């Protein structure tokens, strides 16, 4: 079933979402961005109309999707609250904003959250990513779920509390792991060793947790209580005080937690 | 060229290495393990002789590979030092032990270090992993390099200093990332959210650094200075004090470092 959708926001999420929805046969009525050139550029790609004023929003769409900065959600929801008297559905795409941000202004609202890390330059594989859906009524939830299922095979019904948990854990597994890669990259570059040598190990670390829980496959000096190796690593890291501090905390957490639990 | 090799140690690394060397056409003369059943079991799989006393070591092999606990390397090297008068090559498989551990006892020594996380239950892909080689003379280095190249396409000449850097960074990208996955797994399980939902994100995080440096693809609340989201996450993590502390440090490191550098 073809839906009529307007996308508010032409950043990474808005762009990837608009293109995917369009490709899967939906009609993209309008694209809003405060930057006229961004609105027009994306609109042209999805056979839509670009606008840069919220008052230009037409009533053609059935669903209005906010793909904007988290902090802006409340203000924009107020600004477009006139859509409510036409029974429009509004949804945001944020992992961290509660759906209740819409409560005072809309009867039909929800969340349309693709759990993935988006970059403008890289393609997004909608066949793989999990789509987290919430609607404030069974009807709205069904509509948003069907829309998600039309662009992605992995759709989950996730309420605000569950989404908050996914968001904090997503930061941990994505942003913090990437920061660990950055530390390793920094140390390798500093010492003229190729970071590429570590890439198969990074891939294997991820492959392992597809087969067993992270706890079951934990290895390394901390979990086996190898104090000599830890001391040697800490001595080397003295030249990087921030990294040394982090190494110490992570090792001691692993040591404590895995001994406590076992 | 077929080499004659004896493997000292029948743990994860010894087992995977013996099997790979055997499969690639080398002769495995003996397998040593203090546990007779382990020595015999592995020896049977690679058409070799299992022994559990170092004095039973024969002189048939040209290369003796130690695949033992780091801390045991020095002692074992002394115990087998009689091999030196027969011009044998000795090498260990450790990421963290300097090659000079052999200096006082051997003329021909080196390192034969597969940089990967080994589990007994899981297969090891020797086509992907990087093999780090060092020899104390050009001749020994050439022999060990050729042996490594016969079982693995990615062989690097890595001296003790470089290997120490790879070892500490391997702990950071492998053990510490896995611990972050464990934290997320723990929080998800506690709150009845499926950890599986996060797996595509974890895979994408790794895919991204195959195309750009970790720094270039860093995302999340810390790097964009989103204090509201960080505060919300920290409030949620109050029930997990250890995780909260770690979240705080990682976020502040990311914030500081990426602002400092930019």
């Amino acid at each position: 079933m073809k839906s009529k959708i307007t996308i508010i926001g032409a950043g990474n999420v808005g762009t990837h979402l608009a293109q995917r929805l369009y490709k899967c046969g939906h009609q993209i009525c309008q694209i809003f961005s405060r930057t006229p050139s961004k609105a027009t550029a994306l609109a042209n790609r999805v056979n839509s109309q670009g606008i840069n004023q919220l008052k230009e929003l037409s009533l053609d769409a059935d669903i209005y999707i906010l793909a904007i900065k988290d902090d802006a959600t409340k203000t924009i929801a107020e600004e477009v609250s006139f859509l409510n008297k036409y029974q429009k559905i509004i949804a945001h795409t944020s992992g961290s904003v509660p759906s209740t941000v819409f409560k005072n202004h809309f009867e039909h609202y929800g969340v349309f959250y693709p759990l993935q890390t988006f970059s403008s330059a890289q393609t997004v594989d909608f066949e793989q990513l999990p789509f987290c859906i919430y609607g404030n009524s069974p009807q709205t939830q069904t509509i948003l779920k069907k829309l998600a299922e039309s662009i992605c095979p992995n759709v989950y019904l996730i309420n605000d509390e569950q989404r908050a948990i996914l968001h904090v854990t997503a930061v941990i597994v994505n942003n913090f792991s990437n920061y660990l890669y950055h530390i390793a990259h920094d140390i390798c570059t500093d010492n003229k060793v190729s970071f590429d040598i570590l890439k198969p190990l990074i891939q294997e670390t991820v492959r392992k947790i597809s087969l067993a829980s992270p706890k079951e496959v934990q290895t390394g000096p901390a979990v086996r209580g190898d104090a000599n190796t830890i001391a040697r690593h800490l001595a080397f890291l003295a030249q990087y005080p921030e990294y040394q501090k982090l190494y110490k905390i992570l090792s001691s957490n692993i040591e404590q937690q895995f001994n406590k639990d076992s």
Side-chain angles (χ1 to χ4, degrees), chain A:
Chain A
M1 255 232 340
K2 195 168 161 173
S3 297
K4 294 177 175 182
I5 300 155
T6 279
I7 308 276
I8 296 173
N12 285 336
V13 174
T15 298
H16 286 295
L17 214 49
Q19 292 182 137
R20 179 68 176 179
L21 286 162
Y22 177 67
K23 198 182 154 193
C24 293
H26 300 287
Q27 184 185 339
I28 312 299
C29 302
Q30 291 180 312
I31 300 282
F32 165 84
S33 168
R34 298 232 185 265
T35 315
S37 60
K38 275 192 169 183
T40 311
L42 179 54
N44 286 346
R45 266 182 284 166
V46 296
N47 194 23
S48 180
Q49 182 201 8
I51 58 170
N52 61 74
Q53 304 283 333
L54 287 171
K55 63 180 185 212
E56 295 175 85
L57 275 179
S58 76
L59 300 173
D60 297 337
D62 299 315
I63 304 169
Y64 293 74
I65 297 177
L66 305 189
I68 54 179
K69 286 203 165 63
D70 291 355
D71 295 350
T73 313
K74 202 166 179 293
T75 316
I76 302 272
E78 278 173 31
E79 281 192 65
V80 302
S81 60
F82 66 91
L83 293 169
N84 185 50
K85 54 175 181 285
Y86 306 98
Q87 298 293 308
K88 304 300 186 186
I89 292 176
I90 191 159
H92 70 62
T93 53
S94 163
S96 69
V97 177
S99 65
T100 46
V101 69
F102 298 124
K103 206 175 175 175
N104 295 335
H105 304 291
F106 283 86
E107 272 171 74
H108 311 294
Y109 59 84
V111 179
F112 199 70
Y113 169 48
L115 202 172
Q116 192 50 280
T117 166
F118 289 83
S119 305
S120 56
Q122 297 191 7
T123 56
V124 173
D125 187 353
F126 280 87
E127 298 297 325
Q128 298 300 326
L129 66 80
F131 226 103
C132 303
I133 292 304
Y134 174 75
N136 75 315
S137 70
Q139 292 83 344
T140 301
Q141 189 149 284
T142 302
I143 290 169
L144 291 174
K145 185 164 174 274
K146 280 191 180 155
L147 183 62
E149 283 168 351
S150 74
I151 64 171
C152 166
N154 311 304
V155 177
Y156 298 84
L157 293 175
I158 298 286
N159 65 28
D160 282 0
E161 290 70 32
Q162 294 168 320
R163 205 172 62 260
I165 284 151
L166 285 173
H167 195 250
V168 65
T169 52
V171 166
I172 292 169
V173 300
N174 167 246
N175 306 154
F176 292 170
S177 288
N178 188 70
Y179 179 64
L180 295 178
Y181 304 155
H182 166 72
I183 293 177
H185 188 278
D186 192 27
I187 295 174
C188 283
T189 308
D190 239 19
N191 292 280
K192 300 190 176 30
V193 172
S194 168
F195 175 71
D196 287 348
I197 303 182
L198 293 170
K199 287 183 179 173
L201 178 63
I202 292 172
Q203 278 150 7
E204 179 65 9
T205 309
V206 171
R207 197 186 68 91
K208 274 184 158 183
I209 61 154
S210 67
L211 305 168
S213 79
K215 193 179 165 183
E216 291 170 283
V217 296
Q218 183 72 52
T219 59
V223 71
R224 67 173 185 265
D226 179 349
N228 288 336
T229 299
I230 292 174
R232 210 160 35 226
H233 285 175
L234 288 174
F236 168 77
L237 290 173
Q239 60 194 302
Y240 305 97
E242 294 295 317
Y243 301 162
Q244 190 195 43
K245 190 176 154 200
L246 196 56
Y247 185 105
K248 215 178 274 180
I249 291 166
L250 283 161
S251 286
S252 110
N253 273 19
I254 293 172
E255 228 168 326
Q256 278 169 33
Q257 201 155 4
F258 285 74
N259 291 342
K260 184 188 74 187
D261 294 358
S262 65

